[in-house]
Amino acid sequence: MSAARFSTASAPIMKLGLSASSAFRRLLSGSRSLLPIPPFPPLVQFQSPRRGLCQVALAVKPAAGAESGLKGIGDRNAAEAVKNILEMARRSLTRREVIHTDFLTPPVLRESLLALEKLADVKAVAQGGYPEAERCRLSVGHPDVMQTDPDVVSALSITGNFNFDGCSHGDFLGAILGTGIAREKVGDILVQGEKGAQVLIVPELTEFVVSSMDKVGNVTVTCTPIPLLALEYEPSRTKTSKTVEASLRVDAIASAGFKISRTKLVDLISNGDVRVNWAPVTKNGATLKTGDVVSVSGKGRLKIGEITETRKGKYAVELIRYL
């Protein structure tokens, strides 16, 4: 196996010399440390026709102070995941190899790319399989070693008779996880209604899913590997509006953006149904800034656009609603 195909899960397996069965069980369970549009940081971006949008961080700054960026990460799980990725990056430089994470959530990916910018001689590439993928894998290594973006994402087509028994995103995800695969081994799921769904997954588990998964809900299904170019997705449709508020509090902005009362929005926050940048909001008074993404269970997502202050000291906020 080439160095470019090592993953954070496979590296410790080979080092410890586990049995084949033990190694495969560990591969299925995944690395929990990496668990916990979206705006990505201002990094170099390029379009790969086979793999979709890739985020590239090529650091040329001294490594000193890289951990200082962790202090600004509010979510403990995200901070711990970023710390592990920084250690992984250093290990990749020492071994002169490319190492890959599992699929990361958007906040972890964003913070990781920002932190990796501060490491010297590290190239980082994020791939999710298509341009607007939310969950992506991160590959890190020295630029001399990683001269091309590696193949770290595969796609599956799940088909069946969904004409009279439609299945949701949760149904497909539940069926996949029911085979014993950890969530971080699975990327985005593109639900296609009567046609079924297309799933992004780590390449080493493709054959396992094909042979193990035969039902989604009550529907008998067939899983088939497909090239990334065969993925069918639609660019996100959005609707832009503006609101003028006395403050940038999440309860004020989100209630205007989702067209629900402020009282109901406060209740949703109390129930844990409101997230900012994929992290649960715990306080009504949390303030928003340009680029933040607010999601409300059952209501969708909202991105905060340009914010300007009016002559009367209020805030005119651009709201970008994902349809």
Side-chain angles (χ1 to χ4, degrees), residues 265 267-275 280-281 295-300:
L265 201 285
D267 290 338
L268 290 169
I269 291 176
S270 300
N271 294 333
D273 293 327
V274 179
R275 293 173 176 265
V281 175
S295 57
V296 176
S297 298
K299 300 292 183 180

Side-chain angles (χ1 to χ4, degrees), residues 1 20 33 44 48 50 68 90 92 97 99 112 118 124 128 136 162 168 190 198 220 266 283 285 296 319:
M1 183 180 294
S33 63
V44 180
S48 167
R50 292 195 299 125
S68 63
R90 292 192 181 93
S92 73
E97 65 184 18
I99 304 180
S112 297
K118 301 175 183 178
C136 294
F162 295 98
S168 66
L190 306 174
Q198 294 176 331
T220 299
V266 170
K283 297 181 180 179
V296 176
L319 304 174

Side-chain angles (χ1 to χ4, degrees), residues 1 16-17 26 32 39-40 47 63 87 107 121 166 182 188 190 197 205 213 239 259-261 275 281 311:
M1 183 180 294
L16 294 175
R26 177 170 292 189
R32 298 297 178 186
F40 285 103
Q47 183 76 28
E87 290 301 321
D121 299 323
D188 287 2
L190 306 174
L205 292 179
M213 189 169 141
K239 180 179 180 181
K259 308 297 183 184
I260 56 180
S261 70
R275 293 173 176 265
V281 175
R311 293 180 179 178

Side-chain angles (χ1 to χ4, degrees), residues 74 120 138 147 175 188 198 205 217 229 232 249 265 302 322:
L138 192 59
Q147 296 182 357
D188 287 2
Q198 294 176 331
L205 292 179
L229 283 175
E232 299 177 6
R249 289 167 53 115
L265 201 285
L302 178 74
Y322 289 90

Side-chain angles (χ1 to χ4, degrees), residues 198-213:
Q198 294 176 331
V199 179
L200 284 306
I201 194 169
V202 295
E204 57 267 28
L205 292 179
T206 299
E207 292 184 7
F208 174 78
V209 175
V210 169
S211 62
S212 302
M213 189 169 141

